[in-house]
Amino acid sequence: MDGLVEFRTADGAVVTVEAAEERSGSRLVSRGDGTVQATRTFEGALDGVRAAAESALRVFRDGSLKPDGVEIEFGVKLAAETGAFIAKGTAEGHLVVRLTWSPATPEASAAS
């Protein structure tokens, strides 16, 4: 286990997560129980991942495929200083996209 990081939410609740190891040469100082206080709020840490999800949804919804449903799955890691980032599940990265289409109903086909 890499360690624990406590994030505060905007309403003051505490979210404790298993943290990803920071890549920089410095180490954060933890409390006696090994927990590190995050430098961002929980919502702030997830801002970049939210922006990536919104962008990916735009690509698949606005393209020529026109799916009825779009499901995007990110592996997310949280770190005390860098916040959230998309985790790699393989050498390339971790992103699963599912596009779904419903069969046309007879009434919808007749109206076209």
Side-chain angles (χ1 to χ4, degrees):
M1 183 162 92
D2 291 324
L4 299 176
V5 176
E6 282 187 354
F7 289 89
R8 293 230 177 248
T9 64
D11 64 0
V14 175
V15 178
T16 304
V17 298
E18 183 178 354
E21 184 178 324
E22 297 280 355
R23 299 288 180 209
S24 66
S26 63
R27 290 192 60 126
L28 296 171
V29 177
S30 64
R31 298 188 320 222
D33 64 358
T35 303
V36 174
Q37 295 294 308
T39 57
R40 300 178 180 187
T41 64
F42 187 67
E43 294 87 351
L46 293 172
D47 278 344
V49 175
R50 184 188 69 228
E54 288 171 348
S55 179
L57 282 172
R58 243 187 332 274
V59 167
F60 292 109
R61 284 184 179 154
D62 298 343
S64 61
L65 296 174
K66 305 291 186 213
D68 293 323
V70 178
E71 187 177 318
I72 297 176
E73 177 184 319
F74 291 98
V76 176
K77 289 190 177 184
L78 294 163
E81 287 185 345
T82 56
F85 53 94
I86 299 171
K88 68 178 184 176
T90 65
E92 291 79 37
H94 180 82
L95 174 68
V96 176
V97 178
R98 287 182 187 86
L99 306 176
T100 58
W101 291 265
S102 300
T105 60
E107 293 122 19
S109 297
S112 298

